[in-house]
């Protein structure tokens, strides 16, 4: 059954000019972009998106980083989209990510790890709604 998930190509990967390569990796595993937006998150927007982590010690650094440059936000659709995307992303720490995963290929550190991806179908729905109206990709 087709699912949708949210992916964000983070500022470090955008600065490395890896957008096209990363999108090709998504498409190569059967995840098709339904909506794509390049934008620069304000600090407030990043704080709202990552609000679930507000009490974590890394929250300020994460939201400062995510608002430090342009990002590409995508809605991806495909069979088992959340799991496929999580597998393709690789471990949070690029040094521990399997070869061929996005983070192994393009990540520099735990923070600058190239991509974000929804961790569940439920969170994907919430995260997609944070950036896109349903009418933008229906």
């Amino acid at each position: 059954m087709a699912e949708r998930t949210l992916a964000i190509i983070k500022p470090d990967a955008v600065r490395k000019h890896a957008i096209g390569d990363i999108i090709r990796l998504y498409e190569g595993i059967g995840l098709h972009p339904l909506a794509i937006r390049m934008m620069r998150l304000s600090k407030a927007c990043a704080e709202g998106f990552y609000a679930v982590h507000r009490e974590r010690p890394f929250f300020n650094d994460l939201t400062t980083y995510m608002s430090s440059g342009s990002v590409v936000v995508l809605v991806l659709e495909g069979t088992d989209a959340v799991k496929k995307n999580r597998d393709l992303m690789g471990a949070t720490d690029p040094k521990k990510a399997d070869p061929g995963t996005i983070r192994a290929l393009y990540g520099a550190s735990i923070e600058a790890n190239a991509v974000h991806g929804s961790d569940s179908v439920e969170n994907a729905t919430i995260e997609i709604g944070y950036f896109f109206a349903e009418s933008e990709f229906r």
Side-chain angles (χ1 to χ4, degrees), residues 33-81:
L34 295 180
I36 300 173
R37 176 174 291 136
M38 186 174 214
M39 60 193 301
R40 176 124 186 208
L41 303 180
S42 67
K43 177 84 159 140
C45 182
E47 288 173 348
F49 183 73
Y50 287 106
V52 67
H53 299 302
R54 187 169 301 280
E55 300 305 318
R56 308 290 284 280
F58 59 81
F59 179 76
N60 186 59
D61 289 343
L62 172 63
T63 56
T64 298
Y65 163 69
M66 288 299 291
S67 59
S68 71
S70 295
V71 299
V72 177
V73 184
L74 304 98
V75 177
L76 301 171
E77 184 176 68
T79 303
D80 298 319

